[in-house]
Amino acid sequence: MYHLERPVYSTRDLETQLLHRKAKQPRTTRQRIKKQISCSAGKGKTILFSFLPILTWLPSYPVRQYLFGDVVSGLSTGVMQLPQGLAYALLAAVPPVYGLYTSFYPVLLYTFFGTSKHTSIGTFAVISLMIGGVAVREAPDSMFSVSASNGTNETDAVLDTEARDARRVEVAVILTCLVGLIQLALGFLRFGFVTIYLTEPLVRGFTTAAAAHVFISQLKYLLGIRTPRFRGPLSVIKSLVAVLIGIPTTNVTAVIIGLLCIVFLFMIKTINDRFKDKLPVPIPGEIIVVIISTGISYGLQISDKYEVDIVGKIPTGLLPPAVPDFSLLPNLFTDAIAIAVVSFSVSISLAKIFALKHGYSVDGNQELIALGMCNFVSSFFHCFTITSSMSRSLVQESTGGKTQIAGFLASLMVLLVVVAIGFVFQPLPQTVLAAIVMVNLLGMFKQLRDIPGLWRMSRIELAIWVVSFIASVLLGLDFGLLVAVGFAILTVIYRTQRYMGMFCSGKASECTGIKIFHSNTSIYFANSDLYINALRKKVNSFWLSGVLCWWHGTCFMLGYKVGVTEMILSGSAPQLDDEQTNGKAVEPLGDSDPEDTHNLHKPLLQENINIHSIILDFSAVNFIDSVGAKAIKSVMKEYAEVDVQIVLAGCPLLADLRRLQFFEGTVTLDLLFPSIHDAVLHCQHRVGPRPPSPTKRECCSDHQTLVESCC
């Protein structure tokens, strides 16, 4: 119980009596720039620690509690990095060794710049596929076909694979450099919020479609056939048709090896899932498959005897850094934007999941900077674009990883292989890599289970999922993502226009003559008319006495009973009893002069209407444009003509309304109130005598404000 007594405040009262704002001293552009670039020891330290998060946690790293878990996790993740790096390089249309480079440099850099403790950075199927599509477009096989004469003086086209692969590596590297620059720019400009347009249904539908692209692209390696690589709209259908046409040339040995690997990996994955609580670490099925198949391939010489495609030459050691070929930039900018956004969206989604589970926070803008640094710097060391991997991140977290040290140790393991024993994997059959990729897609295909749940929960989100999936499958990942984002934005506009209505609460009692209109939407050009129409409709449905109004040129009467509407058309009026007309006689208006009708209109309204005030609750309105402001101002003037005052309450947009010149003429700051309670008390004082008791409780809104003083 409490008793509060204070005056009713309007916004003008607050500004003139309570708020004493200091006059702002205008600053020149030079002064503003000087303030931004000025640096102190404290400011410099803050910037350094935010740019290099490792400085905040490494000095206090609890070695005894965390080191063992990080070592086990790093080794387990590194074992997965090796085969996935080799496999995903094929998706990126570059030689497999570049997948190993990509599994080392970016992972090492993320340790210093990243804020997520559990995500595993490196190669990822969706990003690799998008990179490969661009590489094939910019360096197609047709560019590297050379003529070779045979013994009969005829010429045949021979594909120069070495030159083709070198060119595709250049394309992938410069594309990665551009992706890194875009992510760095977005991070420094604090644009981490861009991922809000990539909703979870959109991302899940998109990645499921990408899984379909990846699966079909690996069929040719599994079957041991040669087909061209397609890109653009309907590329997945063209690839599938090409595989079906090439089935007669299937390499049986490659198929047997690939299917055996798929069965074995699927069994290992099932065992790991079923006994994850009992196993100290997951069984490293992928590295087991790689080691065994490499040994069998080397011992049986299946490449020479059975013509099975193998990984081929893997140079020992690291390549020296090189500057990317910037002459390719103009053709890659659009692709780089799409890859940068998808890469960040996947990474930040995983980072937030693990952060929520383990009780820490991740900085979206710093994650953008971290990914940008990983991609930009690594591009000088012959790497392609990276992001977080769900399968490796789950292993890193489940095996006891506590900090980014686990990723650091995984990168060192990859480095050891590249420097010392990379050549061992040269006999590895490509069909084994295809099997690894296909089995790892299982988690993405499980996202198809979203459809029944979304059908029950939200049809609009289901539509976003389906449109994202179908568009990405049929149009390609780049155009499909664009269509999906556009459709998601349209659903926002649709929901903004659709959901608005009269405020009500089951616990609130009504204040006589006052209606409160609440809408959970902003007011702008796309929905301002709908807002005004909804307001009129709701208010008219609560009209409590006979009221004459003009609507599309027709004069009609609203009965005083809620929702009762009687029409007066062509001079014939309905017969209303005394109760419906408050004892007033109503005459037909069909033969009346329009000018006289207007004169009849206003007095009758003033005499019979019981609603005298309408409060627009703006507490949920976070944006209004000039069209919306004009619409609100117009309806305020319209109702004022019939002596119904419209006031605004809880509006957080005072500065915007002033900039839009909203407070002019009869619309003043006196009609704007800081709370619904102030607005209600103002409206009560506007008509009739003072309420009998200052302690009478009247719940006039959802806020359950206690009206205890009418001063």
Side-chain angles (χ1 to χ4, degrees):
M1 299 292 294
Y2 66 92
H3 178 78
L4 176 64
E5 198 168 307
R6 67 168 176 82
V8 176
Y9 289 123
S10 67
T11 300
R12 184 186 298 278
D13 296 332
L14 289 177
E15 293 191 342
T16 57
Q17 301 175 24
L18 299 179
L19 301 178
H20 303 288
R21 291 192 175 95
K22 295 181 179 179
K24 292 185 178 180
Q25 296 293 333
R27 290 183 297 177
T28 63
T29 304
R30 181 179 179 181
Q31 290 174 327
R32 293 176 182 174
I33 295 176
K34 183 178 179 180
K35 182 179 179 180
Q36 291 295 326
I37 64 176
S38 63
C39 186
S40 62
K43 187 176 181 180
K45 183 179 179 180
T46 301
I47 294 174
L48 180 63
F49 276 58
S50 64
F51 185 66
L52 288 170
I54 190 174
L55 299 177
T56 62
W57 58 266
L58 186 60
S60 58
Y61 180 79
V63 177
R64 292 184 178 180
Q65 293 94 335
Y66 285 2
L67 184 59
F68 179 76
D70 281 340
V71 170
V72 174
S73 176
L75 294 177
S76 302
T77 308
V79 166
M80 290 187 67
Q81 286 269 23
L82 291 170
Q84 289 189 6
L86 294 169
Y88 293 152
L90 295 179
L91 289 176
V94 297
V97 68
Y98 291 93
L100 296 180
Y101 300 152
T102 306
S103 299
F104 168 62
Y105 288 107
V107 182
L108 180 66
L109 289 169
Y110 186 82
T111 304
F112 297 91
F113 298 100
T115 60
S116 176
K117 301 176 182 180
H118 297 92
T119 55
S120 175
I121 294 294
T123 56
F124 184 60
V126 175
I127 301 299
S128 299
L129 184 66
M130 296 178 75
I131 291 284
V134 178
V136 170
R137 183 193 69 197
E138 298 297 322
D141 291 344
S142 58
M143 288 180 58
F144 304 95
S145 296
V146 295
S147 299
S149 58
N150 55 26
T152 59
N153 294 326
E154 295 180 357
T155 59
D156 295 324
V158 177
L159 181 63
D160 187 353
T161 56
E162 187 173 343
R164 180 202 64 186
D165 291 345
R167 185 61 172 175
R168 289 180 177 177
V169 169
E170 291 179 353
V171 173
V173 165
I174 187 58
L175 180 60
T176 300
C177 181
L178 185 55
V179 167
L181 289 174
I182 292 172
Q183 290 175 332
L184 281 173
L186 293 176
F188 285 123
L189 293 174
R190 323 303 288 176
F191 266 55
F193 68 88
V194 295
T195 54
I196 64 175
Y197 297 104
L198 297 179
T199 66
E200 183 179 1
L202 186 151
V203 172
R204 293 175 72 86
F206 174 80
T207 52
T208 307
H213 280 273
V214 173
F215 185 86
I216 293 175
S217 71
Q218 295 303 293
L219 287 176
K220 65 178 182 180
Y221 298 110
L222 181 69
L223 300 177
I225 61 179
R226 300 182 184 275
T227 64
R229 188 161 181 167
F230 300 95
R231 190 181 185 279
L234 302 180
S235 60
V236 67
I237 297 177
K238 296 176 183 177
S239 298
L240 183 58
V241 171
V243 169
L244 294 176
I245 293 175
I247 284 180
T249 62
T250 296
N251 188 309
V252 178
T253 305
V255 173
I256 293 174
I257 295 174
L259 291 178
L260 288 175
C261 290
I262 289 176
V263 172
F264 177 79
L265 289 172
F266 184 77
M267 291 173 58
I268 294 297
K269 187 176 287 291
T270 302
I271 293 173
N272 285 334
D273 291 339
R274 181 170 297 181
F275 300 102
K276 60 182 177 181
D277 296 331
K278 298 180 180 180
L279 293 173
V281 294
I283 301 173
E286 295 173 346
I287 196 66
I288 293 174
V289 163
V290 167
I291 293 173
I292 294 177
S293 58
T294 300
I296 293 175
S297 174
Y298 179 77
L300 298 180
Q301 308 242 326
I302 62 174
S303 175
D304 297 331
K305 293 182 179 180
Y306 302 101
E307 298 182 350
V308 175
D309 292 332
I310 59 175
V311 167
K313 183 180 179 182
I314 297 180
T316 301
L318 299 172
L319 295 178
V323 178
D325 184 3
F326 288 95
S327 63
L328 298 171
L329 279 181
N331 298 332
L332 306 179
F333 190 75
T334 304
D335 302 289
I337 293 177
I339 294 173
V341 173
V342 174
S343 169
F344 173 61
S345 178
V346 172
S347 182
I348 195 65
S349 299
L350 282 175
K352 287 182 177 179
I353 290 173
F354 289 116
L356 182 63
K357 181 178 179 180
H358 293 277
Y360 63 92
S361 60
V362 292
D363 185 346
N365 292 310
Q366 181 58 32
E367 283 296 296
L368 260 177
I369 294 173
L371 288 177
M373 289 296 296
C374 292
N375 285 317
F376 176 71
V377 175
S378 299
S379 67
F380 291 85
F381 294 90
H382 317 282
C383 300
F384 53 88
T385 307
I386 54 87
T387 188
S388 299
S389 166
M390 180 177 294
S391 59
R392 293 196 307 271
S393 297
L394 290 173
V395 169
Q396 181 170 318
E397 186 255 354
S398 63
T399 52
K402 301 295 184 182
T403 65
Q404 293 89 324
I405 293 295
F408 175 78
L409 296 175
S411 68
L412 293 184
M413 187 172 181
V414 175
L415 175 63
L416 178 64
V417 172
V418 172
V419 172
I421 58 174
F423 64 92
V424 171
F425 298 105
Q426 290 180 169
L428 178 63
Q430 290 187 3
T431 184
V432 175
L433 298 179
I436 292 173
V437 172
M438 288 179 169
V439 173
N440 278 315
L441 295 176
L442 182 63
M444 292 188 188
F445 282 123
K446 286 182 179 179
Q447 294 176 148
L448 289 168
R449 298 174 181 173
D450 295 348
I451 295 177
L454 290 175
W455 175 265
R456 292 189 298 267
M457 293 186 297
S458 172
R459 304 289 173 84
I460 292 180
E461 290 189 87
L462 174 62
I464 294 175
W465 197 104
V466 172
V467 168
S468 178
F469 175 78
I470 295 177
S472 299
V473 167
L474 297 180
L475 302 179
L477 298 180
D478 45 5
F479 291 112
L481 179 63
L482 184 63
V483 170
V485 171
F487 182 78
I489 293 175
L490 288 178
T491 63
V492 173
I493 297 174
Y494 167 74
R495 284 189 274 196
T496 301
Q497 292 181 332
R498 178 182 176 187
Y499 298 114
M500 58 177 62
M502 178 68 74
F503 174 84
C504 61
S505 172
K507 297 181 180 179
S509 59
E510 184 179 12
C511 293
T512 305
I514 301 174
K515 295 300 176 184
I516 303 172
F517 186 79
H518 175 92
S519 176
N520 291 312
T521 179
S522 297
I523 305 171
Y524 61 108
F525 69 93
N527 74 339
S528 59
D529 286 344
L530 295 174
Y531 181 92
I532 299 303
N533 290 339
L535 172 63
R536 288 175 176 145
K537 180 180 178 181
K538 294 296 182 181
V539 172
N540 288 346
S541 68
F542 282 92
W543 238 218
L544 298 181
S545 60
V547 181
L548 290 174
C549 299
W550 283 102
W551 186 260
H552 296 300
T554 301
C555 184
F556 65 91
M557 170 172 285
L558 295 174
Y560 89 105
K561 292 182 179 179
V562 175
V564 177
T565 302
E566 301 290 350
M567 304 298 297
I568 302 177
L569 299 172
S570 304
S572 59
Q575 298 299 318
L576 303 178
D577 55 28
D578 289 344
E579 183 186 12
Q580 288 176 308
T581 60
N582 279 352
K584 305 289 183 180
V586 179
E587 298 182 3
L589 298 177
D591 299 327
S592 301
D593 183 48
E595 295 183 0
D596 295 335
T597 303
H598 180 72
N599 294 331
L600 268 172
H601 181 206
K602 186 172 180 180
L604 188 57
L605 282 170
Q606 288 179 329
E607 185 175 358
N608 290 338
I609 190 170
N610 284 340
I611 296 177
H612 56 76
S613 301
I614 299 172
I615 300 172
L616 302 185
D617 180 8
F618 267 39
S619 58
V621 178
N622 52 33
F623 168 71
I624 188 170
D625 65 358
S626 60
V627 177
K630 289 178 181 177
I632 297 297
K633 193 172 182 178
S634 175
V635 79
M636 291 175 73
K637 292 179 179 179
E638 174 186 328
Y639 276 88
E641 291 182 358
V642 293
D643 202 24
V644 177
Q645 186 182 65
I646 294 182
V647 299
L648 311 183
C651 179
L653 305 172
L654 181 58
D656 293 339
L657 292 176
R658 278 178 165 152
R659 188 177 61 253
L660 295 171
Q661 300 179 350
F662 182 78
F663 301 106
E664 291 182 347
T666 58
V667 179
T668 65
L669 283 172
D670 297 318
L671 301 180
L672 184 62
F673 296 88
S675 69
I676 293 180
H677 186 59
D678 288 285
V680 169
L681 293 181
H682 164 81
C683 295
Q684 286 179 326
H685 279 279
R686 178 172 172 265
V687 295
R690 175 174 175 156
S693 173
T695 60
K696 182 180 179 181
R697 299 183 182 183
E698 299 181 50
C699 295
C700 300
S701 74
D702 167 61
H703 297 261
Q704 294 290 296
T705 308
L706 189 64
V707 181
E708 295 186 312
S709 174
C710 300
C711 296

